[in-house]
Amino acid sequence: VSRVRARVIHNWPLKLAAVGLATLMYGGLVLSESTQTFTGVIPVTVEGQPVDTVRLNDPGPVTLIRYFAPHGVPVTSSSFVATVNLGNVDAHAGSVNSRIEVTSPDSRIRVLGSDPEFVTVQLDPLDQKTVPVQVDRGVVPSGLTLGDPAVDPKVVTVSGPQSNVRQVVPVRAGVQIQPSALDLPPPAQLAPARGRARM
């Protein structure tokens, strides 16, 4: 009995490692034979976007997914969900490269990887400021003399991505003067006019 026990215990770390390696190789073989690829368009949903930020771009979709599933399990685009979490992102970081998490609501499907694995998201803090309103009278018909325009309101508040808001100096109200000078123009649409950012 002791001789048999000695043979079993002898070099037991190597024997254990061999068993583990064989198991790993077998599992890898089975997995490689059962790994499948899905190609399609899976939209990426953005979660956890910091408050008071504006996303300047939408992440592109996931177009390829590698997954493992038992034979006979139907797989469609609805079998996968792709998300990117911005909860830990600095709102002032600008361009952020974040990992895309792809999961499946079907417990029989195990996602192994995706393409792309990362996405670049551009964030900008939400900002606002007050700017004056300027009247753009365009081309004044000949024979007419215009006085100073009355503007109401004289100032407005613009809001949006900080990088854009900082460039807005005034907003312009375009007014078209009719040759008869009798027809009153409709309320003007305001358009931001950009200039050099003021710090």
Side-chain angles (χ1 to χ4, degrees), residues 85-102:
N85 196 311
L86 304 180
N88 296 324
V89 170
D90 181 5
H92 299 272
S95 295
V96 179
N97 200 29
S98 298
R99 177 180 291 276
I100 301 174
E101 297 292 338
V102 180

Side-chain angles (χ1 to χ4, degrees), residues 35-47:
T35 298
Q36 303 176 60
T37 301
F38 174 83
T39 55
V41 177
I42 309 298
V44 177
T45 302
V46 178
E47 298 179 345

Side-chain angles (χ1 to χ4, degrees), residues 71-94:
H71 292 291
V73 175
V75 175
T76 64
S77 58
S78 61
S79 301
F80 303 100
V81 177
T83 59
V84 58
N85 196 311
L86 304 180
N88 296 324
V89 170
D90 181 5
H92 299 272

Side-chain angles (χ1 to χ4, degrees), residues 60-74:
V62 171
T63 56
L64 185 146
I65 298 175
R66 295 177 296 278
Y67 67 95
F68 172 80
H71 292 291
V73 175

Side-chain angles (χ1 to χ4, degrees), residues 135-149 173-182 185:
V135 176
D136 182 3
R137 296 179 293 187
V139 178
V140 179
S142 60
L144 296 181
T145 301
L146 301 181
D148 295 332
V175 178
Q176 184 176 2
I177 307 300
Q178 301 297 325
S180 64
L182 297 177

Side-chain angles (χ1 to χ4, degrees), residues 16-189:
L16 186 61
V19 173
L21 180 60
T23 303
L24 183 62
M25 292 178 63
Y26 176 76
L29 178 62
V30 173
L31 185 63
S32 63
E33 291 181 346
S34 303
T35 298
Q36 303 176 60
T37 301
F38 174 83
T39 55
V41 177
I42 309 298
V44 177
T45 302
V46 178
E47 298 179 345
Q49 180 174 331
V51 180
D52 295 333
T53 63
V54 179
R55 193 170 70 249
L56 301 182
N57 69 316
D58 290 324
V62 171
T63 56
L64 185 146
I65 298 175
R66 295 177 296 278
Y67 67 95
F68 172 80
H71 292 291
V73 175
V75 175
T76 64
S77 58
S78 61
S79 301
F80 303 100
V81 177
T83 59
V84 58
N85 196 311
L86 304 180
N88 296 324
V89 170
D90 181 5
H92 299 272
S95 295
V96 179
N97 200 29
S98 298
R99 177 180 291 276
I100 301 174
E101 297 292 338
V102 180
T103 58
S104 175
D106 191 335
S107 60
R108 298 171 297 175
I109 301 174
R110 182 157 59 94
V111 177
L112 304 176
S114 66
D115 186 21
E117 294 184 355
F118 293 86
V119 64
T120 299
V121 178
Q122 294 183 330
L123 294 179
D124 210 359
L126 184 64
D127 197 7
Q128 66 177 22
K129 72 175 181 179
T130 301
V131 294
V133 178
Q134 295 180 352
V135 176
D136 182 3
R137 296 179 293 187
V139 178
V140 179
S142 60
L144 296 181
T145 301
L146 301 181
D148 295 332
V151 181
D152 184 24
K154 295 183 178 180
V155 295
V156 294
T157 300
V158 296
S159 63
Q162 187 179 76
S163 57
N164 292 338
V165 170
R166 286 183 174 180
Q167 299 181 50
V168 178
V169 179
V171 295
R172 289 180 180 155
V175 178
Q176 184 176 2
I177 307 300
Q178 301 297 325
S180 64
L182 297 177
D183 297 331
L184 295 177
Q189 296 294 325

